[in-house]
Amino acid sequence: MITLYSHPMSPCAQKVRITLAEKGLSHEIRQVDLPGKENLQPWYLKLNPAGVVPTLTDGDHVIRESSLICEYLDEAYPEAGRALRSPAAHLRAEMRLWMKHVDTALHPSCGALQWPLVMRPRLLAMPEEKARALIEQVVEAPRRERQKRLYAQGLDAPDVAAAVATYRATILRMEATLAAGDWLQGDEFGLSDIVVAPYFQTLVQFCWTDLFSRDCPRVTDWLERVRARESWQQGIDAEIDGEKRTELARIGTEAWPSLTRHLAR
């Protein structure tokens, strides 16, 4: 039995859920309460010492890191669905470049944008001493220090300005790449698209689509086609209910002026 330790709004978990749907693999979802810091409890740290989601268990095997999980599923179950990696070596190399960009640049940027709006309010409702103690439990030092800044400064933190710039640079790179084909790894939808796509869910849910819709028609069309896939509907849409969507749209709309100020710099 495949079990995915997940959270509905985690883009890393979303890309694994999309991969599972594309492969048609039966699995169980175990939700981890990230705002409540369940990911820092001993039982979860035993599974994932970094204290992040997702984690995937497949029988006795424990697989960590979302991009590696996606590749694992495609490699371990070649008979399921269709291959999500190109047979061409140069396109697989391009796929891994997108994965590297997501892991090292786009994911931290997404965290810097989502955390002040989704996680920070719950911590602000706590006594400050308790909130800071929870942040101190974050395992990875860069993530811990970023959360300290975001807790203290919210959308005024320098991390937010850098995140907006990273998103915009990524969008322009995608617009250029898509001039050569329908998908990020050529003519076939695959892991390149899967690992990038959830980071656009962040823009959609917060009503921040002006970051690409105003001048990047290829990216706009790409996202429409990705969102039309059944795997998106299963892996993302089914996990976020209508009430939550309304709340995210509200807080995103309220935050948009802060983002546009960063974008104008």
Side-chain angles (χ1 to χ4, degrees):
M1 166 62 79
I2 295 173
T3 299
L4 179 67
Y5 293 83
S6 181
H7 184 274
M9 289 187 58
S10 163
C12 289
Q14 288 170 352
K15 63 187 175 185
V16 175
R17 295 199 301 266
I18 291 173
T19 301
L20 287 164
E22 287 283 342
K23 299 292 288 183
L25 291 169
S26 177
H27 62 282
E28 176 186 7
I29 296 286
R30 169 75 184 274
Q31 301 291 4
V32 179
D33 179 12
L34 297 184
K37 298 298 184 183
E38 186 181 11
N39 54 306
L40 300 179
Q41 292 184 8
W43 74 266
Y44 189 74
L45 289 173
K46 186 176 180 181
L47 276 177
N48 191 315
V52 297
V53 295
T55 302
L56 183 134
T57 60
D58 187 3
D60 294 331
H61 304 302
V62 179
I63 316 296
R64 308 177 187 95
E65 297 294 333
S66 57
S67 293
L68 300 182
I69 294 171
C70 292
E71 276 213 82
Y72 167 81
L73 291 169
D74 197 42
E75 186 173 6
Y77 295 95
E79 75 287 352
R82 62 175 186 81
L84 297 173
R85 297 170 299 166
S86 172
H90 72 285
L91 290 178
R92 291 199 304 277
E94 288 293 326
M95 173 197 76
R96 292 186 179 108
L97 281 176
W98 281 111
M99 287 180 167
K100 182 176 181 180
H101 175 71
V102 166
D103 292 344
T104 61
L106 195 56
H107 179 70
S109 297
C110 182
L113 296 177
Q114 285 210 107
W115 200 94
L117 302 183
V118 178
M119 305 297 185
R120 184 175 184 250
R122 187 160 173 174
L123 292 178
L124 288 175
M126 300 177 182
E128 183 176 350
E129 183 178 347
K130 180 179 179 181
R132 292 192 178 277
L134 284 173
I135 294 174
E136 286 293 344
Q137 294 177 42
V138 174
V139 177
E140 297 170 329
R143 193 158 52 92
R144 181 172 63 248
E145 295 306 311
R146 184 180 74 221
Q147 288 188 15
K148 289 180 182 179
R149 291 189 296 271
L150 293 169
Y151 172 72
Q153 302 176 56
L155 293 176
D156 293 326
D159 309 78
V160 176
V164 173
T166 296
Y167 255 91
R168 183 63 181 161
T170 301
I171 289 164
L172 294 176
R173 175 181 169 188
M174 292 174 64
E175 185 73 8
T177 299
L178 291 165
D182 287 341
W183 304 104
L184 293 178
Q185 61 185 44
D187 294 329
E188 296 288 338
F189 177 84
L191 288 187
S192 298
D193 306 285
I194 289 172
V195 299
V196 173
Y199 296 91
F200 281 78
Q201 168 61 19
T202 301
L203 304 183
V204 170
Q205 72 193 16
F206 290 135
C207 301
W208 295 343
T209 54
D210 276 1
L211 278 174
F212 61 87
S213 63
R214 56 192 172 89
D215 60 355
C216 293
R218 296 188 190 99
V219 172
T220 301
D221 176 68
W222 170 86
L223 183 59
E224 288 178 358
R225 287 183 284 111
V226 172
R227 294 181 70 197
R229 298 182 74 86
E230 186 174 348
S231 59
W232 176 284
Q233 293 157 26
Q234 291 181 19
I236 295 183
D237 283 350
E239 295 281 326
I240 306 175
D241 62 32
E243 183 178 350
K244 187 66 174 178
R245 289 178 191 280
T246 300
E247 178 191 0
L248 293 172
R250 177 186 60 78
I251 62 177
T253 300
E254 291 174 357
W256 178 245
S258 295
L259 265 70
T260 56
R261 285 196 297 273
H262 292 310
L263 191 60
R265 291 177 181 176

